[in-house]
Amino acid sequence: MSNSYGKIFRITTFGESHGQSVGVVVDGCPAGLEITQAEIQLELDRRRPGQSNITTQRKEEDEIIILSGLYENKTTGTPIALMVNNKNQAGKDYSHLEHAFRPSHADYTYTAKYGLRDHRGGGRSSARETLARVAAGAIANKYLKQQSIQIASYVSSVGPISLTESYEQLDLTQIDSNKIRCPQPQVADEMIELVEETRKNRDTVGGVITCVIKGVPVGLGEPAFDKLHAELGKAMLSINAVKGFEYGSGFDGTKLYGSEHNDVFYTDADGRVQTRTNHSGGIQGGISNGQDIYFRVAFKPVATILQPQTSINDQGETITLEGKGRHDPCVLPRAVPIVDAMTALVLIDFLLRQRTVRV
């Protein structure tokens, strides 16, 4: 099982949903980066459960513990170990799943691959593992901000409700102004109403998160297998419940002619190379071109629903399952900081790799 990501800035996550703890070891972080426990905690608080009535009511403070790699709030260049203890464990809530295969979960595939599984909330397959990514991403994002790179992710659709404005037309400082994390207040209210209705119906709903990255220098990414957009796609598709990724014009770009889709170059008044449009999404030939990078990530409805469903057990017998415990009716609000974190992890790794190219 691969539990590591990155080539130079490399993270290794550990822990299970209802085990003792979940954490991450970060290797390759440059020395001297100033970051506090509070800055890491801030991002974990955006991801933690129980933050509103439209997310899971599992109560976890997710208090970060720094075990190594920082001295007087500066990175030392040695491995950074971060850990969160699981305080609100409720493994008994999942006793009815010990031999059951939940529809659209990893229960069957894990059992088929490994011969056993942790049925308590999915164990390693649980989205609780992503808090380790968010902790590491907070460090990566602090480094990126010092390079004047800004990442902003927001909920752009929930079920059939979608934003009609592009990111240029939105005030991205308003992302955290409401519990759905949509920067358009009127649309946010509609989304929240839909999620609350879905929760009352004991069901779940999916949607899309849009991410915008500003300030990325020209030259990040490799021209063949490690294209920047390919790595972003891999990172996003590694997040639980993600079903799709598109960048730039994406699938809508297929409806245009080349004469309409091409991004024409020009030199601005300051002598910088720019493009008049940005259908490329800030990436050409797998390499950043200095324009804004933007992409969309599709999340399916959470697989656990609090309604009876037919399935089978590990003996192949037909059974009826009904979700119990604490679950998200919509994963999107808590997934926003996860998208931010994985984006930051991709970019910092490419920035550090670019250093070796220029030496």
Side-chain angles (χ1 to χ4, degrees):
M1 180 184 291
S2 175
N3 299 289
S4 301
Y5 180 77
K7 294 192 175 181
I8 294 182
F9 191 97
R10 187 169 179 83
I11 70 166
T12 301
T13 69
F14 62 87
E16 294 81 32
S17 177
H18 289 269
Q20 182 174 338
S21 60
V22 177
V24 62
V25 176
V26 179
D27 204 3
C29 181
L33 176 66
E34 291 190 17
I35 188 162
T36 65
Q37 180 176 347
E39 289 175 297
I40 300 172
Q41 188 65 53
L42 180 64
E43 288 305 304
L44 287 182
D45 289 346
R46 297 179 73 219
R47 195 220 71 96
R48 69 174 173 81
Q51 57 186 279
S52 78
N53 65 335
I54 62 170
T55 64
T56 173
Q57 293 307 292
R58 175 175 177 170
K59 298 295 184 182
E60 288 278 10
E61 295 178 359
D62 286 350
E63 184 177 350
I64 194 68
I65 302 169
I66 301 174
L67 301 177
S68 67
L70 268 76
Y71 178 68
E72 296 183 342
N73 294 330
K74 290 185 179 180
T75 57
T76 61
T78 59
I80 303 168
L82 307 171
M83 184 179 74
V84 168
N85 288 318
N86 293 329
K87 295 180 180 180
N88 191 5
Q89 302 173 53
K92 64 181 183 298
D93 287 354
Y94 300 91
S95 58
H96 65 297
L97 299 177
E98 184 173 2
H99 300 288
F101 293 149
R102 295 168 294 173
S104 288
H105 277 272
D107 300 337
Y108 168 69
T109 52
Y110 261 59
T111 302
K113 182 176 178 65
Y114 298 108
L116 74 166
R117 65 182 172 90
D118 184 346
H119 67 278
R120 302 167 303 167
R124 187 68 177 152
S125 68
S126 168
R128 185 146 180 81
E129 179 269 345
T130 60
L131 78 80
R133 307 184 191 199
V134 171
I139 298 172
N141 205 18
K142 183 63 181 292
Y143 181 88
L144 296 178
K145 287 178 179 178
Q146 292 187 354
Q147 313 300 314
S148 299
I149 297 173
Q150 298 178 325
I151 300 169
S153 301
Y154 60 91
V155 175
S156 52
S157 75
V158 175
I161 301 171
S162 299
L163 284 169
T164 56
E165 299 95 333
S166 66
Y167 74 87
E168 297 101 331
Q169 299 169 301
L170 297 169
D171 181 0
L172 300 185
T173 66
Q174 297 301 304
I175 290 171
D176 285 313
S177 66
N178 55 72
K179 56 189 175 183
I180 199 69
R181 295 202 164 101
C182 170
Q184 217 286 3
Q186 291 180 332
V187 178
D189 288 343
E190 294 178 31
M191 291 176 174
I192 292 168
E193 184 178 354
L194 175 60
V195 175
E196 289 175 340
E197 181 182 349
T198 301
R199 177 178 57 81
K200 290 176 184 177
N201 292 335
R202 301 167 69 82
D203 214 333
T204 59
V205 64
V208 174
I209 290 175
T210 296
C211 181
V212 181
I213 318 167
K214 294 179 175 290
V216 177
V218 179
L220 298 191
E222 307 294 335
F225 298 109
D226 285 351
K227 290 179 168 64
L228 179 54
H229 60 268
E231 203 61 36
L232 285 168
K234 175 185 176 181
M236 297 307 130
L237 289 164
S238 76
I239 300 171
N240 304 60
V242 170
K243 301 296 288 184
F245 169 86
E246 63 174 358
Y247 76 102
S249 62
F251 288 100
D252 283 343
T254 64
K255 303 170 186 176
L256 302 176
Y257 290 104
S259 56
E260 300 170 303
H261 191 270
N262 286 345
D263 296 320
V264 175
F265 289 108
Y266 73 98
T267 304
D268 68 16
D270 296 320
R272 295 172 301 190
V273 175
Q274 306 279 8
T275 58
R276 298 197 181 278
T277 54
N278 191 17
H279 298 301
S280 300
I283 303 170
Q284 293 171 326
I287 300 170
S288 60
N289 66 2
Q291 305 301 301
D292 292 347
I293 295 173
Y294 62 97
F295 58 83
R296 291 160 295 281
V297 188
F299 285 79
K300 70 175 184 178
V302 177
T304 298
I305 62 173
L306 304 182
Q307 297 179 15
Q309 294 183 96
T310 300
S311 189
I312 63 171
N313 61 21
D314 53 15
Q315 300 302 309
E317 301 165 330
T318 300
I319 60 173
T320 299
L321 280 176
E322 184 172 348
K324 299 179 181 180
R326 303 149 300 182
H327 303 285
D328 287 286
C330 179
V331 74
L332 292 163
R334 296 177 60 217
V336 165
I338 303 170
V339 170
D340 285 344
M342 291 307 299
T343 302
L345 292 172
V346 170
L347 292 178
I348 191 173
D349 199 47
F350 272 118
L351 276 172
L352 297 176
R353 287 163 66 176
Q354 185 71 358
R355 280 185 178 182
T356 65
V357 173
R358 297 284 182 160
V359 169

